[in-house]
Amino acid sequence: MSSADHERQSGTDDELELDAVESVETYETSGGIVFYDVRNPLAWVKATHSVALPDQV
């Protein structure tokens, strides 16, 4: 584990949330918007259906 990884893991909740938000990118498809992690773009999650983000918060 690098020192940057360690620093990320030991940050405050607000810092960790900001870090997570900053590492998310999106692109549009005909069926909606896809969110993905730019640090690990191959970490795809397969779903059988989509959900509206406001319904999940």
Side-chain angles (χ1 to χ4, degrees):
M1 178 183 326
S2 72
S3 62
D5 290 335
H6 180 68
E7 286 175 21
R8 260 197 297 276
Q9 290 178 351
S10 64
T12 67
D13 288 344
D14 288 340
E15 290 170 334
L16 293 173
E17 183 176 336
L18 182 59
D19 187 43
V21 169
E22 289 175 345
S23 72
V24 173
E25 295 273 333
T26 63
Y27 65 88
E28 291 187 52
T29 68
S30 61
I33 298 174
V34 175
F35 291 82
Y36 66 97
D37 183 344
V38 295
R39 292 188 187 131
N40 191 5
L42 297 178
W44 295 98
V45 177
K46 182 177 178 179
T48 57
H49 63 281
S50 61
V51 296
L53 261 167
D55 296 341
Q56 302 304 308
V57 182

